[in-house]
Amino acid sequence: MNVYDSEQIARGLKALRYNMTSSQEKADLIIVNTCAIREKAEQKVFSFLGRLAGLKRKKPDLIIGVGGCVAQQEGAKILQRVPHLDLVFGTNAIGRLPGIIETIESKKCRIVDVEMSEQIEELDFVTNEYHKGKVTNFVTIMQGCDNYCTYCVVPYVRGRETSRNPEKIINEISRLIESGAREVTLLGQNVNSYGKKEGLCTFPELLALVNGIDDLLRIRFTTSHPKDLSEDLILAFKELDKLCSHIHLPIQSGSNRVLKRMNRKYNRKLYLAKVDKLRNIYPDIAITSDIIVGFPGETRTDFEETLELIKEMEFDGLFAFKYSDRPNAAAALFPDKISEKEKKERLQQVLNLQDHFTTKKNKELVGSTQSILVEGLSKKQTKVDIQNSYKDVQWTGRTSTNKIVNFPQGDDAVSCDGIIIGRMVNVRIVKAFSHSLWGEPVSIEPISFGSRGEKNYVA
Ligand code: 5AD
Ligand code: SF4
């Protein structure tokens, strides 16, 4: 969600004639977009801001702003704590940002805007240049959250749950496609409750609308709350050809006692039953999850139940976090806090256990042919020398199940005119690592789009 917000910020600034630069020294404006989900992310913000003091001394006209969830949470306090800061803007203020910056430019004042609204402010930033050539993009379909999990800060910093109008979402996706997008990830804290409050269409209906957009090849979404995972959504995986076979379904804990204290409103049995249903209908679906270790009062037995669940579930991937107290979140006041040392040990145990399953799942793919949407050059390959042959170039993309695959262009298999970003390539998997796969290209799908004759480019 922060990546999406940063893109919106960049689009708004572009309209104000600010271009992206690769170095802080060259910048006339630095915006720090922040995350408050865990304490560590918040600490990083302040140490980063501290490091900008020297730059501001050298260049007094430099404008420095802080946005996002930490800005929303702390408001004017950040201006007091960071004397070289010009601006604090909250999660609902992105649309107002260009105007705020203009005011700071002309009046040389400091501004705090952390006003929240119940309505989604539709941004109408004209330029799309920022997205040019990006194959996969995020699109927010709703903001805020009404669930109040007891560990979570989101309802306090992103406000009440509000869904965007389907037409606005479809328009935004269509514009992205014009700039080269072939895949979108629909974003919401709990996509399953999309549209319910406002009486819009349901989430599976929205997915069906998005599925009908020409030239879009793939749809992903995140995040689903297990309590709201509906039969219709489960069926959508079968019915919608563009919907990727991956679902992120955060469980948080394997212990019913902890789940209750987290206010998650489901138990282990219900979670497993939903996963069973998903896997029965769609055996190849990849399932990933989130786990919090060391929630206040989590006993050794509770923790063992989480380990057991991980073994039973065999997730394709898992994000695990040490619990941290968040301002306003109910659990911050819960007794029986777990020591940092114990949390660290539990986290390591979870990560070690999951590593085994992630590698196992990856190894199962060796020998199979996977359809990969090519996103760009692999991490190893930073630049293509256009004069040279493309055959040694290494590309990266993902399987429908969201696994990263790197592969060389090779001689014949995908011999088109070189650059294949945004194309679907069938790749035979030859090697599995813990976090990626390596393969050989077999064939390239014909272009079913491109009537406009556009090509993507490597910047
Ligand atoms: N401490 C640790 N992890 C947290 N998460 C959310 N709040 C906290 C917290 N206070 C994790 C949850 C959530 C993910 C995005 O971050 O696992 O699913
Ligand atoms: Fe936070 Fe729970 Fe809402 Fe997710 S569903 S954003 S964990 S309150």
Side-chain angles (χ1 to χ4, degrees), residues 140-354:
T140 285
I141 61 164
M142 57 208 295
Q143 68 183 24
C145 184
D146 289 346
N147 283 310
Y148 292 95
C149 301
T150 54
Y151 51 81
C152 188
V153 77
V154 169
Y156 306 97
V157 288
R158 289 208 176 249
R160 299 286 63 71
E161 184 184 285
T162 321
S163 298
R164 276 179 87 189
N165 208 301
E167 286 106 76
K168 303 277 184 194
I169 297 168
I170 303 293
N171 275 344
E172 183 166 341
I173 298 174
S174 303
R175 284 206 322 197
L176 289 169
I177 285 172
E178 281 164 21
S179 333
R182 296 288 169 253
E183 174 183 284
V184 286
T185 302
L186 307 180
L187 297 175
Q189 304 297 345
N190 178 16
V191 291
N192 308 110
S193 58
Y194 171 83
K196 279 188 189 157
K197 246 177 159 175
E198 293 80 2
L200 302 168
C201 62
T202 64
F203 182 58
E205 285 165 353
L206 177 72
L207 283 174
L209 285 175
V210 177
N211 199 69
I213 299 178
D214 282 347
D215 294 352
L216 179 69
L217 300 178
R218 281 181 167 181
I219 309 167
R220 301 184 187 277
F221 63 83
T222 195
T223 296
S224 287
H225 195 306
K227 78 175 163 68
D228 296 318
L229 179 60
S230 66
E231 297 272 331
D232 281 357
L233 183 58
I234 294 177
L235 288 176
F237 282 102
K238 214 171 176 68
E239 284 161 6
L240 304 177
D241 59 324
K242 296 179 183 175
L243 187 58
C244 289
S245 27
H246 167 225
I247 187 163
H248 185 63
L249 203 57
I251 173 112
Q252 313 297 1
S253 168
S255 149
N256 285 339
R257 204 181 67 87
V258 174
L259 286 172
K260 198 163 177 64
R261 297 177 75 239
M262 286 176 162
N263 192 30
R264 289 292 285 177
K265 302 192 183 89
Y266 57 82
N267 56 29
R268 184 186 170 111
K269 196 168 154 209
L270 191 113
Y271 184 91
L272 290 171
K274 294 213 177 183
V275 167
D276 259 3
K277 214 174 254 176
L278 265 168
R279 283 183 169 159
N280 276 336
I281 294 185
Y282 211 77
D284 290 337
I285 197 162
I287 302 180
T288 55
S289 198
D290 291 346
I291 294 271
I292 297 177
V293 299
F295 185 76
E298 182 189 69
T299 61
R300 195 67 220 175
T301 317
D302 292 323
F303 177 63
E304 300 284 343
E305 284 178 23
T306 296
L307 293 179
E308 281 309 311
L309 180 120
I310 295 171
K311 283 186 207 154
E312 197 173 335
M313 271 298 308
E314 300 204 1
F315 291 116
D316 290 75
L318 187 64
F319 299 93
F321 312 100
K322 286 184 288 176
Y323 167 82
S324 74
D325 281 341
R326 301 288 58 222
N328 299 312
L333 301 176
F334 285 8
D336 305 323
K337 294 279 156 62
I338 309 298
S339 73
E340 201 47 41
K341 181 169 169 279
E342 183 64 29
K343 282 195 276 190
K344 215 171 153 190
E345 275 173 27
R346 291 183 190 182
L347 179 69
Q348 203 49 54
Q349 262 184 280
V350 166
L351 295 177
N352 291 346
L353 178 60
Q354 180 55 38

Side-chain angles (χ1 to χ4, degrees), residues 46-72:
F46 287 100
S47 54
F48 182 80
L49 286 174
R51 290 200 297 276
L52 295 179
L55 263 186
K56 180 83 171 185
R57 263 195 307 274
K58 272 194 245 157
K59 199 171 172 181
D61 283 342
L62 170 68
I63 299 173
I64 304 178
V66 173
C69 293
V70 177
Q72 189 65 51

Side-chain angles (χ1 to χ4, degrees), residues 1-6 33-37 67-70 72-73 90-92 94 116-118 120 140 142-146 153-162 189:
M1 204 150 270
N2 271 24
V3 171
Y4 176 81
D5 285 350
S6 295
N33 194 14
T34 62
C35 173
I37 196 86
C69 293
V70 177
Q72 189 65 51
Q73 184 182 287
T91 49
N92 280 196
I94 295 176
M116 295 276 248
S117 72
E118 291 266 318
I120 294 199
T140 285
M142 57 208 295
Q143 68 183 24
C145 184
D146 289 346
V153 77
V154 169
Y156 306 97
V157 288
R158 289 208 176 249
R160 299 286 63 71
E161 184 184 285
T162 321
Q189 304 297 345

